[in-house]
Amino acid sequence: VQLQASGGGLVQPGGSLRLSCAVTGFTLNRPAIGWFRQAPGKEREGVSCLSTWNDITHYSDSVKGRFTVSADAAKSTVYLQMDNLRPEDTAVYYCGVDLGHSSSYELCKRGPSDWGQGTLVTVSS
């Protein structure tokens, strides 16, 4: 199982970024997969998770209405579209998957069984 996140960078407040997570070793039609972030001095939190077998999503309150998680099974890639970014969104973002039977809510709350490396998102003017 491998997960490779990309797409981070520097963006101004109010701007948008799209993160990608390319996965190998499993197919995107069964597990729960999602995005987590860790800001300096803070604990890692689950922000956007997707149950790929039923397309149910879960978002943290801090990103609800601004972030959208999606998956393209044919490309074995999971995306995080981030709009209306704020300075407090600055963090290292990680993708993670639970190959068990977690729901999207459970994944975001408990964390994944497998992690990818992070990609840094900086929101600053």
Side-chain angles (χ1 to χ4, degrees), residues 2-21:
Q2 289 189 325
L3 303 96
Q4 182 80 28
S6 61
L10 173 64
V11 63
Q12 292 187 340
S16 297
L17 274 178
R18 189 176 79 158
L19 304 183
S20 299
C21 177

Side-chain angles (χ1 to χ4, degrees), residues 25-36:
F26 62 97
T27 56
L28 288 174
N29 59 2
R30 290 193 177 184
I33 192 163
W35 292 91
F36 303 78

Side-chain angles (χ1 to χ4, degrees), residues 32-104:
I33 192 163
W35 292 91
F36 303 78
R37 69 184 182 187
Q38 187 166 23
K42 294 188 176 181
E43 292 186 356
R44 192 176 298 184
E45 64 168 333
V47 295
S48 303
C49 295
L50 169 69
S51 303
T52 59
W53 75 89
N54 59 11
D55 289 332
I56 292 179
T57 55
H58 174 78
Y59 297 95
S60 65
D61 289 342
S62 58
V63 308
K64 198 172 295 181
R66 301 187 297 121
F67 288 13
T68 303
V69 59
S70 61
D72 186 331
K75 296 182 178 179
S76 295
T77 302
V78 180
Y79 303 99
L80 183 67
Q81 178 67 40
M82 304 185 294
D83 298 317
N84 192 21
L85 283 161
R86 304 167 180 170
E88 54 264 37
D89 295 318
T90 295
V92 178
Y93 284 73
Y94 303 84
C95 53
V97 65
D98 184 353
L99 298 176
H101 300 284
S102 293
S103 66
S104 54

